[in-house]
Short mmCIF file of all heavy atoms in Angstrom, two decimals:
data_model
loop_
_atom_site.label_atom_id
_atom_site.label_comp_id
_atom_site.label_asym_id
_atom_site.label_seq_id
_atom_site.Cartn_x
_atom_site.Cartn_y
_atom_site.Cartn_z
N PHE L 169 -3.19 -7.39 -22.95
CA PHE L 169 -2.31 -6.71 -22.01
C PHE L 169 -1.85 -5.38 -22.58
O PHE L 169 -1.34 -5.33 -23.71
CB PHE L 169 -1.03 -7.53 -21.75
CG PHE L 169 -1.23 -8.75 -20.92
CD1 PHE L 169 -1.37 -9.99 -21.51
CD2 PHE L 169 -1.22 -8.67 -19.54
CE1 PHE L 169 -1.53 -11.14 -20.74
CE2 PHE L 169 -1.37 -9.81 -18.76
CZ PHE L 169 -1.52 -11.06 -19.36
N ASP L 170 -1.99 -4.31 -21.80
CA ASP L 170 -1.23 -3.10 -22.06
C ASP L 170 0.23 -3.45 -21.72
O ASP L 170 0.48 -4.43 -21.00
CB ASP L 170 -1.76 -1.99 -21.15
CG ASP L 170 -0.84 -0.79 -21.09
OD1 ASP L 170 -0.38 -0.36 -22.15
OD2 ASP L 170 -0.59 -0.30 -19.97
N CYS L 171 1.19 -2.72 -22.25
CA CYS L 171 2.60 -3.09 -22.00
C CYS L 171 3.23 -2.30 -20.86
O CYS L 171 3.41 -2.82 -19.76
CB CYS L 171 3.41 -2.95 -23.29
SG CYS L 171 2.91 -4.15 -24.55
N ASP L 172 3.56 -1.02 -21.12
CA ASP L 172 4.28 -0.28 -20.09
C ASP L 172 3.40 -0.05 -18.86
O ASP L 172 2.25 0.36 -18.98
CB ASP L 172 4.77 1.08 -20.64
CG ASP L 172 5.96 1.59 -19.84
OD1 ASP L 172 7.05 1.03 -20.00
OD2 ASP L 172 5.77 2.53 -19.04
N GLY L 173 3.94 -0.38 -17.69
CA GLY L 173 3.19 -0.24 -16.44
C GLY L 173 2.41 -1.50 -16.07
O GLY L 173 1.88 -1.59 -14.97
N VAL L 174 2.36 -2.48 -17.00
CA VAL L 174 1.62 -3.72 -16.73
C VAL L 174 2.54 -4.94 -16.78
O VAL L 174 2.64 -5.69 -15.83
CB VAL L 174 0.44 -3.89 -17.71
CG1 VAL L 174 -0.21 -5.26 -17.55
CG2 VAL L 174 -0.58 -2.79 -17.49
N TRP L 176 5.84 -4.56 -18.15
CA TRP L 176 7.18 -4.03 -17.90
C TRP L 176 7.10 -2.57 -17.53
O TRP L 176 6.07 -1.91 -17.76
CB TRP L 176 8.12 -4.24 -19.11
CG TRP L 176 7.71 -3.60 -20.40
CD1 TRP L 176 7.42 -2.28 -20.63
CD2 TRP L 176 7.56 -4.25 -21.67
NE1 TRP L 176 7.10 -2.08 -21.95
CE2 TRP L 176 7.19 -3.26 -22.62
CE3 TRP L 176 7.72 -5.57 -22.11
CZ2 TRP L 176 6.96 -3.54 -23.96
CZ3 TRP L 176 7.50 -5.84 -23.46
CH2 TRP L 176 7.11 -4.85 -24.37
N GLY L 178 9.57 0.44 -18.53
CA GLY L 178 10.77 0.76 -19.30
C GLY L 178 11.46 -0.51 -19.74
O GLY L 178 10.90 -1.30 -20.50
N VAL L 202 -1.34 -4.66 -26.44
CA VAL L 202 -1.93 -3.47 -27.02
C VAL L 202 -1.24 -2.26 -26.42
O VAL L 202 -1.49 -1.90 -25.27
CB VAL L 202 -3.44 -3.40 -26.71
CG1 VAL L 202 -4.11 -2.33 -27.57
CG2 VAL L 202 -4.11 -4.74 -26.93
N THR L 203 -0.34 -1.64 -27.18
CA THR L 203 0.46 -0.55 -26.63
C THR L 203 0.28 0.75 -27.41
O THR L 203 0.21 0.74 -28.64
CB THR L 203 1.96 -0.92 -26.56
OG1 THR L 203 2.71 0.19 -26.07
CG2 THR L 203 2.52 -1.32 -27.92
N ASN L 204 0.22 1.86 -26.67
CA ASN L 204 0.17 3.18 -27.29
C ASN L 204 1.57 3.69 -27.63
O ASN L 204 1.72 4.80 -28.13
CB ASN L 204 -0.51 4.19 -26.36
CG ASN L 204 -2.02 4.22 -26.57
OD1 ASN L 204 -2.55 3.50 -27.40
ND2 ASN L 204 -2.72 5.06 -25.80
N ASN L 205 2.58 2.88 -27.34
CA ASN L 205 3.95 3.34 -27.62
C ASN L 205 4.28 3.12 -29.10
O ASN L 205 4.37 1.99 -29.57
CB ASN L 205 4.93 2.56 -26.74
CG ASN L 205 6.32 3.16 -26.79
OD1 ASN L 205 6.71 3.74 -27.80
ND2 ASN L 205 7.06 3.02 -25.71
N CYS L 206 4.44 4.24 -29.82
CA CYS L 206 4.61 4.19 -31.28
C CYS L 206 6.08 4.24 -31.69
O CYS L 206 6.39 4.35 -32.87
CB CYS L 206 3.84 5.34 -31.93
SG CYS L 206 4.45 6.97 -31.45
N THR L 207 7.00 4.17 -30.72
CA THR L 207 8.40 4.42 -31.06
C THR L 207 9.11 3.23 -31.70
O THR L 207 10.17 3.41 -32.28
CB THR L 207 9.20 4.85 -29.81
OG1 THR L 207 9.16 3.79 -28.85
CG2 THR L 207 8.64 6.11 -29.19
N TYR L 213 9.65 -4.84 -31.19
CA TYR L 213 8.98 -5.28 -29.96
C TYR L 213 9.27 -6.74 -29.67
O TYR L 213 9.46 -7.13 -28.53
CB TYR L 213 7.46 -5.08 -30.07
CG TYR L 213 7.04 -3.72 -29.59
CD1 TYR L 213 6.58 -2.76 -30.47
CD2 TYR L 213 7.15 -3.38 -28.24
CE1 TYR L 213 6.23 -1.50 -30.03
CE2 TYR L 213 6.80 -2.12 -27.79
CZ TYR L 213 6.34 -1.19 -28.69
OH TYR L 213 6.00 0.06 -28.25
N LYS L 216 12.36 -6.86 -27.88
CA LYS L 216 12.23 -6.38 -26.50
C LYS L 216 11.59 -7.45 -25.61
O LYS L 216 12.04 -7.69 -24.49
CB LYS L 216 11.42 -5.09 -26.45
CG LYS L 216 11.14 -4.64 -25.02
CD LYS L 216 10.72 -3.19 -24.87
CE LYS L 216 10.59 -2.86 -23.38
NZ LYS L 216 10.29 -1.45 -23.12
N SER L 233 0.27 1.41 -31.49
CA SER L 233 -0.42 2.53 -32.13
C SER L 233 0.23 2.87 -33.47
O SER L 233 -0.45 3.39 -34.37
CB SER L 233 -0.44 3.74 -31.21
OG SER L 233 0.86 4.07 -30.79
N CYS L 256 8.27 9.26 -34.96
CA CYS L 256 9.59 8.67 -34.77
C CYS L 256 9.75 7.46 -35.67
O CYS L 256 8.88 7.14 -36.48
CB CYS L 256 9.73 8.28 -33.30
SG CYS L 256 8.27 7.43 -32.72
N TYR L 298 4.59 10.38 -30.95
CA TYR L 298 5.68 10.79 -30.07
C TYR L 298 6.89 11.17 -30.91
O TYR L 298 7.31 10.43 -31.79
CB TYR L 298 6.03 9.63 -29.15
CG TYR L 298 7.08 9.94 -28.13
CD1 TYR L 298 6.75 10.65 -26.97
CD2 TYR L 298 8.40 9.52 -28.30
CE1 TYR L 298 7.72 10.92 -26.02
CE2 TYR L 298 9.36 9.79 -27.34
CZ TYR L 298 9.01 10.49 -26.20
OH TYR L 298 9.97 10.76 -25.26
N GLU L 300 10.66 13.10 -30.34
CA GLU L 300 11.63 13.82 -29.53
C GLU L 300 12.33 14.91 -30.33
O GLU L 300 13.05 15.73 -29.78
CB GLU L 300 12.64 12.83 -28.92
CG GLU L 300 11.97 11.93 -27.89
CD GLU L 300 12.94 10.97 -27.20
OE1 GLU L 300 14.13 10.92 -27.57
OE2 GLU L 300 12.48 10.26 -26.28
N ASP L 325 -1.84 8.34 -30.56
CA ASP L 325 -2.40 8.09 -29.22
C ASP L 325 -2.56 9.42 -28.50
O ASP L 325 -1.96 10.41 -28.90
CB ASP L 325 -1.49 7.15 -28.43
CG ASP L 325 -0.15 7.79 -28.12
OD1 ASP L 325 -0.04 8.48 -27.09
OD2 ASP L 325 0.80 7.63 -28.91
N ASP L 327 -1.85 9.97 -25.21
CA ASP L 327 -1.18 9.95 -23.91
C ASP L 327 -0.55 11.31 -23.58
O ASP L 327 0.21 11.85 -24.38
CB ASP L 327 -0.10 8.85 -23.88
CG ASP L 327 -0.70 7.45 -23.91
OD1 ASP L 327 -1.91 7.33 -24.15
OD2 ASP L 327 0.06 6.49 -23.70
N TRP L 329 1.60 12.18 -21.00
CA TRP L 329 3.01 12.11 -20.54
C TRP L 329 3.29 10.66 -20.14
O TRP L 329 2.36 9.86 -19.99
CB TRP L 329 3.24 13.03 -19.32
CG TRP L 329 2.25 12.79 -18.21
CD1 TRP L 329 1.03 13.38 -18.07
CD2 TRP L 329 2.38 11.86 -17.12
NE1 TRP L 329 0.38 12.87 -16.96
CE2 TRP L 329 1.18 11.94 -16.36
CE3 TRP L 329 3.37 10.97 -16.72
CZ2 TRP L 329 0.96 11.16 -15.22
CZ3 TRP L 329 3.16 10.19 -15.58
CH2 TRP L 329 1.96 10.30 -14.84
N HIS L 330 4.57 10.35 -19.97
CA HIS L 330 4.98 9.01 -19.52
C HIS L 330 6.03 9.12 -18.44
O HIS L 330 6.88 10.00 -18.50
CB HIS L 330 5.54 8.21 -20.69
CG HIS L 330 4.58 8.09 -21.82
ND1 HIS L 330 3.49 7.26 -21.76
CD2 HIS L 330 4.49 8.75 -22.99
CE1 HIS L 330 2.79 7.40 -22.87
NE2 HIS L 330 3.37 8.30 -23.63
N PRO L 331 5.97 8.20 -17.48
CA PRO L 331 7.01 8.20 -16.46
C PRO L 331 8.34 7.71 -17.03
O PRO L 331 8.37 6.81 -17.86
CB PRO L 331 6.47 7.21 -15.40
CG PRO L 331 5.46 6.37 -16.11
CD PRO L 331 4.97 7.15 -17.28
N LEU L 332 9.42 8.32 -16.59
CA LEU L 332 10.77 7.86 -16.92
C LEU L 332 11.43 7.46 -15.61
O LEU L 332 10.90 7.70 -14.54
CB LEU L 332 11.59 8.97 -17.59
CG LEU L 332 11.05 9.55 -18.90
CD1 LEU L 332 11.94 10.71 -19.35
CD2 LEU L 332 11.01 8.48 -19.97
N THR L 338 8.25 12.33 -19.56
CA THR L 338 8.42 12.86 -20.91
C THR L 338 7.03 13.19 -21.46
O THR L 338 6.08 12.46 -21.18
CB THR L 338 9.17 11.87 -21.83
OG1 THR L 338 9.35 12.46 -23.12
CG2 THR L 338 8.41 10.56 -22.00
N PRO L 339 6.90 14.30 -22.20
CA PRO L 339 5.59 14.61 -22.79
C PRO L 339 5.20 13.53 -23.79
O PRO L 339 6.05 13.04 -24.53
CB PRO L 339 5.82 15.94 -23.51
CG PRO L 339 7.13 16.45 -23.05
CD PRO L 339 7.93 15.28 -22.57
N GLY L 340 3.93 13.13 -23.83
CA GLY L 340 3.47 12.11 -24.75
C GLY L 340 2.93 12.70 -26.04
O GLY L 340 2.85 13.92 -26.21
N SER L 341 2.54 11.80 -26.96
CA SER L 341 1.98 12.22 -28.25
C SER L 341 0.82 13.19 -28.07
O SER L 341 0.63 14.09 -28.89
CB SER L 341 1.44 11.01 -29.01
OG SER L 341 2.37 9.98 -29.07
N LYS L 361 -5.37 3.47 -28.02
CA LYS L 361 -6.32 3.45 -26.89
C LYS L 361 -6.59 4.88 -26.44
O LYS L 361 -5.65 5.66 -26.39
CB LYS L 361 -5.70 2.67 -25.72
CG LYS L 361 -5.37 1.23 -26.02
CD LYS L 361 -4.51 0.60 -24.93
CE LYS L 361 -3.10 1.12 -24.90
NZ LYS L 361 -2.22 0.48 -23.90
N ASP L 386 -2.87 -0.15 -16.93
CA ASP L 386 -2.47 0.63 -15.75
C ASP L 386 -2.93 2.08 -15.84
O ASP L 386 -2.76 2.83 -14.89
CB ASP L 386 -0.94 0.62 -15.58
CG ASP L 386 -0.25 1.47 -16.62
OD1 ASP L 386 -0.46 1.22 -17.83
OD2 ASP L 386 0.48 2.40 -16.24
N ARG L 387 -3.51 2.50 -17.00
CA ARG L 387 -3.92 3.90 -17.13
C ARG L 387 -5.42 3.94 -17.37
O ARG L 387 -5.92 3.42 -18.37
CB ARG L 387 -3.15 4.56 -18.28
CG ARG L 387 -3.15 6.06 -18.20
CD ARG L 387 -2.18 6.67 -19.21
NE ARG L 387 -1.61 7.90 -18.70
CZ ARG L 387 -0.41 8.36 -18.97
NH1 ARG L 387 0.39 7.71 -19.76
NH2 ARG L 387 0.01 9.50 -18.45
N THR L 390 -6.93 5.67 -20.65
CA THR L 390 -6.66 5.05 -21.95
C THR L 390 -7.02 3.57 -21.93
O THR L 390 -7.92 3.14 -22.63
CB THR L 390 -5.18 5.24 -22.38
OG1 THR L 390 -4.33 4.86 -21.30
CG2 THR L 390 -4.92 6.67 -22.76
N ASP L 391 -6.35 2.78 -21.10
CA ASP L 391 -6.53 1.32 -21.11
C ASP L 391 -7.92 0.90 -20.67
O ASP L 391 -8.59 0.10 -21.33
CB ASP L 391 -5.51 0.65 -20.18
CG ASP L 391 -4.09 1.01 -20.55
OD1 ASP L 391 -3.81 1.12 -21.76
OD2 ASP L 391 -3.27 1.19 -19.64
N1 PLP G 28 4.31 6.24 -25.85
C1 PLP G 28 5.57 6.38 -25.40
C2 PLP G 28 6.52 7.24 -26.16
C3 PLP G 28 5.98 5.72 -24.23
O1 PLP G 28 7.24 5.87 -23.79
C4 PLP G 28 5.05 4.92 -23.53
C5 PLP G 28 5.43 4.21 -22.31
O2 PLP G 28 6.58 4.09 -21.97
C6 PLP G 28 3.75 4.81 -24.04
C7 PLP G 28 3.42 5.48 -25.19
C8 PLP G 28 2.69 4.00 -23.34
O3 PLP G 28 2.81 2.66 -23.67
P1 PLP G 28 1.73 1.62 -23.14
O4 PLP G 28 0.46 1.86 -23.90
O5 PLP G 28 2.36 0.29 -23.44
O6 PLP G 28 1.58 1.87 -21.68
#
Side-chain angles (χ1 to χ4, degrees):
F169 287 98
D170 166 46
C171 293
D172 203 73
V174 173
W176 60 55
V202 192
T203 178
N204 271 0
N205 191 330
C206 63
T207 61
Y213 271 110
K216 174 163 185 175
S233 55
C256 45
Y298 184 79
E300 292 183 355
D325 66 87
D327 291 10
W329 52 272
H330 303 286
L332 300 176
T338 182
S341 310
K361 299 168 290 183
D386 73 303
R387 199 170 212 149
T390 50
D391 303 323

